[in-house]
Amino acid sequence: MNKKLLIDVGSSTVKVYKQTSSSVSLLFARSIPFKTEFDPTRGISESTKKELYELITEIKNKNPDKPIKLFATALFRKMKLETRKAFVDEFFLRTGLYFNIIPQELESFYLQVAL
C-alpha cells in the first residue's frame, strides 16, 4: 500500500496526515503562531520560521521512506509576491520540500471533498 504524508500549514496550525490509497487520517497537529508579528512585506517572524523548519525536519527524519506533500493556506496568501517567492525558495533550501501556497478556490475544493 503506497503511503505518503500530507502537511497542511494554516494560519496557526500545522496538521500532518497519512494518506494511503484508500484513506487520509490525521497523525498530529501542532500550533505555531504564524500570525504573531506577521507582516505582508516581511512574512512570518524568524522565530516562527525556525519552529516550522525544526518541525518539518523532524517529520522528514522520522519518515525518511515516505513522500511528503505540503500545502499552505490562509495567511501565506497575504504575503507580498516578492516575500512569498523568497520564503518558498528559503523553505526549499532548508527542507528540500516545496512550500505550495494554494489559492482559496483550491482550498475550498479540498474542504468540500474532505466533508
Side-chain angles (χ1 to χ4, degrees):
M1 193 178 279
N2 191 12
K3 297 177 188 175
K4 68 176 149 186
L5 296 181
L6 303 174
I7 301 174
D8 173 10
V9 182
S11 294
S12 60
T13 307
V14 176
K15 295 176 185 168
V16 180
Y17 299 89
K18 178 177 72 174
Q19 180 185 31
T20 65
S21 58
S22 61
S23 69
V24 175
S25 58
L26 180 67
L27 292 178
F28 73 90
R30 181 180 297 172
S31 292
I32 299 179
F34 296 115
K35 292 180 193 175
T36 304
E37 299 178 40
F38 173 80
D39 178 88
T41 303
R42 291 190 313 272
I44 60 175
S45 72
E46 289 302 315
S47 61
T48 54
K49 273 188 202 178
K50 182 179 184 288
E51 191 173 350
L52 178 61
Y53 293 145
E54 288 172 355
L55 176 60
I56 298 301
T57 300
E58 179 183 333
I59 293 166
K60 285 183 66 176
N61 289 343
K62 287 182 177 180
N63 299 280
D65 58 332
K66 292 185 179 85
I68 298 173
K69 284 189 135 186
L70 186 142
F71 302 93
T73 60
L75 185 73
F76 297 94
R77 288 192 290 262
K78 295 179 181 176
M79 287 182 182
K80 294 216 180 272
L81 184 58
E82 313 81 52
T83 305
R84 191 182 315 168
K85 285 180 179 179
F87 178 69
V88 168
D89 288 346
E90 178 184 348
F91 189 88
F92 183 78
L93 289 172
R94 297 283 300 267
T95 68
L97 297 175
Y98 177 64
F99 197 84
N100 186 18
I101 302 171
I102 62 172
Q104 178 65 50
E105 297 78 24
L106 188 54
E107 180 181 0
S108 296
F109 171 76
Y110 287 156
L111 285 172
Q112 284 179 336
V113 170
L115 298 174

